[in-house]
Amino acid sequence: MIKAIALDDEPLALEILQSLCAEVEYIDLQKTFTKSDEAFKYLKKYPVDLLFLDINMPSISGLDFYKKLPHKTMVIFTTAYSEFAVEGFTLSATDYLLKPISFSRFQQAAEKALQHWKTQNQNLEQQYLFIRADYSLIKILFSDILYIEGLDDYLKIHIQNQKTVVARMTLKVLLQKLPSTEFIRVHRSFIIPISKIEKIRNKMIHIHEAEIPISTSYEAAFFEILNQK
């Protein structure tokens, strides 16, 4: 469910937004505001996913209000003036709705917000994984992994500033759990995170104090990915 609030100096415009949001099952419009200072205080204390924001307000423009926000929030600008559209999109707005807002146009903007929200949450979910080892489920951040070493049906996950985790699992199975844009297999016994490579010399990858060989069968794919970075 997308958590949202709306800010508009016109109460009628807020009523219309409330009725539009009520027709979309995945948007939870939690509060509405006619005063920008009250909305700003609320957002500092209760961050939301989406902000419906009028541009032409007496105390502060919606564009300036959005620039002041302390954290990243999706925004759908609403206004009766089309000349603000270009500047709205330069602020990476999710969409721009021209008043009066039809339901079909609102639904289109809501769908954009939903897709963006799903992408954001998917990325958050992909920051770690759980590995069963030592009779426990151990949470390992992708960003902490130095490299992974395979030993038959076991593997060692070498972790920055932490004890190495030994788990009963194959490299093939683990590779499917890792983000393909960040991790690559370079040898039948090694998976590495591309971001941790310090240097490559004589077909040896240097990560921290380890030297990891690049095997002939993985060499072409490895260097092709490096050239794309």
Side-chain angles (χ1 to χ4, degrees), residues 146-204:
L146 293 171
Y147 62 97
I148 301 155
E149 182 180 2
L151 305 162
D152 295 324
D153 291 336
Y154 288 84
L155 52 80
K156 289 183 178 180
I157 304 175
H158 298 265
I159 305 170
Q160 198 161 2
N161 302 321
Q162 293 179 48
K163 181 183 174 183
T164 298
V165 172
V166 179
R168 187 176 178 84
M169 184 186 293
T170 64
L171 284 179
K172 183 179 179 181
V173 170
L174 181 59
L175 189 60
Q176 293 171 351
K177 298 177 181 290
L178 298 168
S180 59
T181 55
E182 298 173 40
F183 289 83
I184 185 169
R185 193 167 184 173
V186 296
H187 188 279
R188 65 185 298 272
S189 300
F190 291 99
I191 294 170
I192 63 152
I194 297 168
S195 62
K196 290 292 193 296
I197 297 173
E198 294 170 7
K199 67 178 178 180
I200 302 168
R201 185 176 181 181
N202 298 329
K203 293 190 180 181
M204 298 294 287

Side-chain angles (χ1 to χ4, degrees), residues 116-166:
H116 189 64
W117 179 78
K118 282 182 177 178
T119 302
Q120 284 181 322
N121 282 280
Q122 186 179 22
N123 290 338
L124 287 173
E125 289 166 7
Q126 291 178 344
Q127 290 179 354
Y128 60 85
L129 79 164
F130 282 96
I131 292 292
R132 190 174 294 281
D134 295 330
Y135 305 102
S136 306
L137 273 175
I138 301 171
K139 181 180 179 180
I140 301 173
L141 297 177
F142 293 146
S143 58
D144 286 342
I145 297 174
L146 293 171
Y147 62 97
I148 301 155
E149 182 180 2
L151 305 162
D152 295 324
D153 291 336
Y154 288 84
L155 52 80
K156 289 183 178 180
I157 304 175
H158 298 265
I159 305 170
Q160 198 161 2
N161 302 321
Q162 293 179 48
K163 181 183 174 183
T164 298
V165 172
V166 179

Side-chain angles (χ1 to χ4, degrees), residues 6-17:
L7 171 60
D8 196 306
D9 61 308
E10 298 178 8
L12 180 58
L14 291 174
E15 287 179 22
I16 292 169
L17 275 174

Side-chain angles (χ1 to χ4, degrees), residues 9-27:
D9 61 308
E10 298 178 8
L12 180 58
L14 291 174
E15 287 179 22
I16 292 169
L17 275 174
Q18 280 180 311
S19 64
L20 289 168
C21 287
E23 296 295 316
V24 179
E25 61 182 11
Y26 50 81
I27 292 182

Side-chain angles (χ1 to χ4, degrees), residues 76-89:
I76 294 176
F77 286 113
T78 62
T79 184
Y81 304 95
S82 59
E83 62 266 27
F84 290 115
V86 174
E87 191 175 354
F89 280 117

